[in-house]
Amino acid sequence: GVLLPWSKIIETAKAEQVDIIGLSGLITPSLDEMVTVAEEMQRAGLTIPLLIGGATTSKLHTALKIDPAYDGPVIYVLDASRAVGVASQLLSDTQAEGFIATTAAEYQHLRDVRAGKEANALLSLEDARANMFVADMSEKPAPPAQPGLHTFPDWDLADLRHAIDWTPFFRAWELAGTFPAILKDEVVGESASALYEDAQAMLDRIIAEKWLTAKGVAGFWPCARHGDDVIVHPTADEASVRLPFLRQQVKKSRDRANYCLADFIDPAGDWIGGFAVGIHGIEPHLERFKAAHDDYNDILLKALADRFAEAFAERLHQHVRTTLWAYAPGEQLTNEALIKEQYRGIRPAPGYPACPDHSLKPILFDLLDATKATGITLTESYAMLPTAAVSGFYFAHPQSEYFGVARIGRDQLEDYATRREVSVDAAERWVRPNLD
């Protein structure tokens, strides 16, 4: 995946003469990296099966993006518990051929259906821009009360505990339901309640014994929209920085706009923010659990660290709205309302639907001096370390909203490459999951 170079995966596969390679995608950069691994397996002349699994993957993505890149068998595995059965069929003298052929036919059918549904469904980039969202700039917020960078070397974990969104925690354990109703669910209530009690007990220890440290940074800079870019001016002494964003090109029904994040910024002058938060110190505790072969608490601690990171992003955004930028100083929302994002402004993250290109993270990190401020680093594939980390941009306009860029056309790819001053091939690797 994103934590190991494709070259090492292929080198090891050849050295060990393996029968199957498996890739697991837990975060969105993995989706594009899996395509690269498949392409390099093809280039290396491999023919062994490639298994695809993990939280961010899907059968459709496997069929559309990964399978066409490799001539060998590519198999999507819905759940880790099914990997043994799939591997058994692939290694069977009697079952392998039929299983591979059936899977290939299913993937081709998915591609055919998608092609039929999406024919001529994209606007040209020119037409999409003509249908941009026009924000009312008379409503844009005042400049931040406290511009510049703000670092938070040790945010109180007890405070973050109160901001945890528990519903995704249970989903990580494949327990379906919404918190707190899940605790009384007829099917999974007993398991969910036991897990929740264990989580509370571990949270008590994490906070009392200071297992983890929450480090963050936020910043606000003057800027202006220029087309689909936002030009940021960090300080009077620093060169301007271009933030290039992607625009929706899918043809809309009725009078709906084709959104781009730049639409929420005033060309005549405005402000934009950014943040990065991370949860540090997990490694010695994981090592302790692994030494004791305690998989349960190992996974439980990782899941809670992820919840702390999301809670930190939520609390810091609240602090930005009420104090640092202070465009909503009187905001009084319950934690439930915060979880439902019933507040003004958005914080889109690179790699997520409104801003799908992970390669914007280094630009954001440079603006924030994030590694120095928080200790968070980026891998070559733009994954954040520690993995319990969140970063993104702050847009404060009251009409700003989340959306998905979805599919884009070749014309926008080429335009994006020009704006990024890179080759089309390089840009294609960045935006491949969205490329039509």
Side-chain angles (χ1 to χ4, degrees):
V2 295
L3 300 183
L4 194 68
W6 59 261
S7 55
K8 184 65 175 177
I9 294 173
I10 294 175
E11 174 189 327
T12 305
K14 287 183 172 181
E16 301 295 336
Q17 297 183 322
V18 304
D19 297 298
I20 296 171
I21 291 177
L23 302 177
S24 178
L26 298 179
I27 55 177
T28 49
S30 304
L31 296 176
D32 190 41
E33 187 65 16
M34 287 175 170
V35 178
T36 300
V37 174
E39 290 174 341
E40 296 301 332
M41 287 174 64
Q42 178 73 17
R43 189 172 286 113
L46 295 179
T47 59
I48 59 176
L50 174 62
L51 302 189
I52 301 296
T56 61
T57 60
S58 69
K59 182 182 290 186
L60 184 60
H61 179 268
T62 302
L64 294 179
K65 302 293 185 178
I66 304 175
D67 185 51
Y70 180 55
D71 290 342
V74 178
I75 311 294
Y76 171 67
V77 185
L78 177 64
D79 182 77
S81 63
R82 305 187 187 189
V84 173
V86 171
S88 296
Q89 292 185 78
L90 290 170
L91 298 177
S92 169
D93 291 334
T94 58
Q95 299 180 46
E97 185 175 345
F99 177 60
I100 292 169
T102 300
T103 303
E106 181 182 7
Y107 291 173
Q108 185 59 52
H109 175 70
L110 289 173
R111 290 192 290 269
D112 291 343
V113 170
R114 174 56 69 95
K117 286 183 177 179
E118 296 181 349
N120 302 318
L122 290 188
L123 296 174
S124 69
L125 179 58
E126 181 180 2
D127 288 343
R129 284 173 171 165
N131 193 43
M132 67 178 288
F133 176 73
V134 180
D136 182 354
M137 289 306 166
S138 68
E139 297 184 14
K140 73 179 181 183
Q146 300 179 47
L149 295 178
H150 304 269
T151 58
F152 306 92
D154 191 3
W155 196 288
D156 185 8
L157 294 177
D159 174 63
L160 298 183
R161 181 178 190 170
H162 297 301
I164 287 178
D165 179 4
W166 285 101
T167 296
F169 171 80
F170 291 106
R171 288 177 186 158
W173 292 83
E174 298 186 1
L175 295 173
T178 302
F179 181 83
I182 191 174
L183 301 179
K184 297 181 180 180
D185 185 87
E186 292 183 2
V187 178
V188 301
E190 184 176 349
S191 298
S193 295
L195 178 61
Y196 185 64
E197 289 179 10
D198 290 344
Q200 295 304 315
M202 182 173 281
L203 282 176
D204 290 339
R205 289 196 65 187
I206 290 172
I207 294 170
E209 300 173 17
K210 201 66 174 68
W211 286 9
L212 305 173
T213 303
K215 299 180 181 181
V217 61
F220 317 100
W221 313 281
C223 66
R225 179 175 68 81
H226 185 268
D228 289 350
D229 299 334
V230 175
I231 308 301
V232 180
H233 309 286
T235 67
D237 300 326
E238 296 179 86
S240 61
V241 175
R242 181 184 299 270
L243 289 173
F245 294 113
L246 294 169
R247 180 173 297 281
Q248 294 176 322
Q249 280 186 265
V250 174
K251 191 178 297 183
K252 301 296 187 74
S253 59
R254 297 186 295 275
D255 297 324
R256 297 169 59 202
N258 288 79
Y259 282 91
C260 173
L261 286 173
D263 295 346
F264 306 131
I265 298 295
D266 190 349
D270 212 330
W271 286 79
I272 193 171
F275 73 97
V277 297
I279 306 300
H280 297 261
I282 196 173
E283 291 80 9
H285 307 289
L286 295 180
E287 290 173 3
R288 186 174 75 249
F289 291 137
K290 289 177 181 176
H293 304 290
D294 187 350
D295 292 339
Y296 176 71
N297 279 307
D298 176 275
I299 297 172
L300 181 60
L301 179 56
K302 290 175 182 175
L304 290 176
D306 288 341
R307 289 298 90 215
F308 269 131
E310 295 291 347
F312 193 0
E314 191 68 82
R315 283 289 292 114
L316 182 55
H317 194 191
Q318 185 180 39
H319 185 53
V320 165
R321 295 191 303 271
T322 60
T323 306
L324 298 182
W325 198 329
Y327 60 80
E331 176 185 288
Q332 292 184 331
L333 298 173
T334 64
N335 195 52
E336 181 181 9
L338 292 174
I339 289 171
K340 292 180 178 179
E341 298 172 343
Q342 294 176 351
Y343 45 73
R344 173 177 161 180
I346 57 174
R347 57 169 194 272
Y352 284 79
C355 182
D357 183 3
H358 283 272
S359 75
L360 294 189
K361 282 181 194 168
I363 303 175
L364 173 63
F365 270 50
D366 285 346
L367 285 167
L368 292 166
D369 201 5
T371 298
K372 180 180 179 181
T374 67
I376 304 171
T377 58
L378 296 174
T379 70
E380 290 182 359
S381 300
Y382 311 116
M384 290 180 286
L385 297 175
T387 55
V390 183
S391 63
F393 301 101
Y394 290 134
F395 290 79
H397 195 285
Q399 291 177 301
S400 61
E401 61 179 80
Y402 292 108
F403 59 89
V405 168
R407 294 177 300 112
I408 65 170
R410 188 81 185 177
D411 54 353
Q412 184 163 191
L413 169 67
E414 294 172 354
D415 178 85
Y416 192 65
T418 300
R419 289 190 282 140
R420 294 294 303 269
E421 298 181 343
V422 299
S423 68
V424 173
D425 287 344
E428 185 169 352
R429 290 193 60 168
W430 293 337
V431 304
R432 184 185 286 133
N434 294 83
L435 192 58
D436 187 48

